[in-house]
Amino acid sequence: MAGQSKKKERVGILGGNFNPVHYAHLIVASQVYHQLELDKIYLMPSFESPHVDPKKTISASHRIEMLKLALVDDSSSMEIETIEIERQGKSYTYDTMAELTSQHPDKEYYFIIGGDMVDYLPKWHRIDDLIKIVQLVGVNRPGYPLTSDYPVKWVEVPMMDISSSYIREKISTGGTVDYLLPKNVIDYIDKKGLYQHG
């Protein structure tokens, strides 16, 4: 119809270090994608997260390569957003999302965070400005309530106690990480000798 504005593409963003990517990341992304009927989900690796203690991480190129391998069968619904890697420095969510919304005014963004991070929202950089430009999506985490003083849309996902730090520890001590992350990602980690020394 003439003069009718085009419907915005509804895009989910799941940020993280992805050091390495594992099945809990992919399940969260998939559940939010399907339950909110989004058009696309982007996994967005951070260059340096401001919300956690500084940690030794592997190079961005390895993390991006593992994400590509993890998404090889899901490219229709999930892709990689590298804006924070390209910008470098500390990755404040507001700065990133302000840049993305400016670059892509045709997109409506849904920023996905765990229940533990929802609890931490009052301390986020420019949180009152952030909630004006994105819809926050909270996913349940053990031990955290599904409540917030901020406008959070909640999505229930299977509780999975898998973390990248647990996977790194298992690899460094010679343990198995089978079924915790995609086989092609495990093969890449083995081939490149990643996480061998803690």
Side-chain angles (χ1 to χ4, degrees):
M1 191 183 295
Q4 188 173 11
S5 61
K6 187 182 172 192
K7 188 180 174 189
K8 287 191 174 187
E9 186 180 18
R10 302 168 75 243
V11 175
I13 297 275
L14 178 61
N17 225 1
F18 300 111
N19 185 33
V21 60
H22 51 70
Y23 277 129
H25 294 135
L26 301 176
I27 287 169
V28 165
S30 176
Q31 287 293 318
V32 172
Y33 172 78
H34 287 286
Q35 290 186 44
L36 298 186
E37 299 180 335
L38 301 181
D39 296 305
K40 185 75 75 173
I41 289 270
Y42 286 94
L43 302 187
M44 183 173 71
S46 60
F47 182 77
E48 180 185 339
S49 172
H51 300 304
V52 294
D53 294 330
K55 62 174 83 169
K56 184 181 176 186
T57 190
I58 61 170
S59 74
S61 59
H62 283 312
R63 291 183 287 133
I64 290 170
E65 199 55 43
M66 288 188 285
L67 281 167
K68 286 178 182 173
L69 290 168
L71 300 185
V72 76
D73 296 323
D74 279 308
S75 57
S76 62
S77 61
M78 294 191 223
E79 291 181 20
I80 304 166
E81 172 55 71
T82 57
I83 186 171
E84 293 191 340
I85 300 292
E86 291 158 18
R87 191 173 66 226
Q88 303 197 358
K90 282 202 173 184
S91 299
Y92 287 108
T93 302
Y94 173 77
D95 296 338
T96 300
M97 297 315 302
E99 193 173 337
L100 283 175
T101 51
S102 173
Q103 288 176 4
H104 306 285
D106 57 329
K107 290 180 170 52
E108 183 178 302
Y109 286 102
Y110 292 74
F111 194 84
I112 306 160
I113 51 178
D116 53 337
M117 278 284 114
V118 171
D119 216 33
Y120 193 67
L121 282 176
K123 297 178 182 175
W124 276 35
H125 175 68
R126 297 187 66 175
I127 181 61
D128 292 328
D129 293 319
L130 177 65
I131 60 176
K132 293 173 187 172
I133 60 173
V134 300
Q135 169 65 61
L136 295 176
V137 177
V139 295
N140 52 308
R141 284 276 169 84
Y144 290 91
L146 303 182
T147 58
S148 176
D149 291 335
Y150 293 96
V152 175
K153 187 183 289 284
W154 290 95
V155 170
E156 191 167 335
V157 300
M159 298 284 197
M160 297 184 66
D161 194 13
I162 301 174
S163 68
S164 295
S165 57
Y166 175 81
I167 290 168
R168 294 194 303 270
E169 182 188 346
K170 276 289 182 191
I171 293 170
S172 70
T173 56
T176 180
V177 292
D178 290 351
Y179 306 109
L180 299 178
L181 60 168
K183 177 71 165 63
N184 55 1
V185 177
I186 296 173
D187 292 343
Y188 180 87
I189 290 169
D190 287 344
K191 181 181 175 185
K192 300 294 182 180
L194 305 178
Y195 311 122
Q196 299 296 323
H197 307 292

